[in-house]
Amino acid sequence: MSRSGIVNVRMVITEEKILSNIEKVHRMINPKSKKQIVQFEDDSYFKDLIESIKAYLIEYPKKKNFPASVYKAAYDLVEFATNQFEENTKQIEGLIRQREANIASARVLKDILEVVQNKEEGWKEDLKEIEEEFSEDIFEALEVIGKAKSDKSQNYEDAVKLINARIVNLESNLHIEIDMERIEDRSKALSYIGIEVADALKLIPAPQEEEMAKLEETQEEAVVQKAQETQEKELYEQETTFEAKPSLWQRFKQSKFVRAIKYAFKIRVVLDIPALPEGKE
């Protein structure tokens, strides 16, 4: 084997390794994945993967001949990270609104507790007004407090404990704070991808449309080939037990399923890489 042949083989292996690393990062930031980044600051494995991708993009010797498959995979990773970052922002906004609503509910609950404990005039009507704002157990506990003849009874004390516990829970928003911390940590990781990978990707000329079309065609053929192999296996099994229909594969190739596959791979590559805010922001 020639020396140039050895270099090419090494480059193919490196390219496959980088594609594998990109896929690993993709899985780590996928909200549906079981293995997600939990502690970004301490996740050296994630940072090492990003560093390997960044180094490959920066150090590749001939940028004009950069592998289209790696460019597309890296671009898709940045695009996916951008979309996830925006989704995380929406989730954070929703959690903040929920936290504010919980604090407001805690104030209402405090006020109504004082009303029923003091058996103020019209307390039953006041209680009715907030019936739909709280769960049935809270409403029933408030009724027990309001109707109690003695504040020393066990039922009265249990009801007061329940209300106070709910007030503390609403004010602390512990579960919301935990969710926000988890989402913010993921956002740091997503932002890190945008800072490191997107910036490095800008140094590489976008592959020509012909190259991308060829790559997408190869991917399409691989998917269709896999579907064909599966179909042919099913046909073989049918032929061993029943009379196979000769036009089945032809009908399958013209089905909506195959047309959907072809459409899915008509990806248009845009030159501008979407920007992500820095992690600290």
Side-chain angles (χ1 to χ4, degrees), residues 17 41 44 57 69 104 116 162 186-187 228 239 256 280:
K17 178 64 176 177
E41 299 296 342
S44 58
L57 297 173
S69 59
V116 296
L162 175 62
R186 287 192 66 247
S187 292
Q228 182 178 1
E239 288 173 353
K256 292 182 179 179
K280 63 182 179 181

Side-chain angles (χ1 to χ4, degrees), residues 146-168:
K147 294 177 180 180
K149 295 180 180 180
S150 171
D151 59 3
K152 304 298 182 183
S153 67
Q154 189 64 47
N155 287 343
Y156 180 94
E157 291 179 355
D158 290 344
V160 172
K161 286 181 181 179
L162 175 62
I163 300 302
N164 284 329
R166 186 62 54 88
I167 291 172
V168 170

Side-chain angles (χ1 to χ4, degrees), residues 101-118:
N102 286 353
I103 293 173
S105 295
R107 287 197 297 266
V108 172
L109 201 51
K110 278 183 177 180
D111 292 341
I112 194 66
L113 175 60
E114 184 177 352
V115 168
V116 296
Q117 281 182 316
N118 296 331

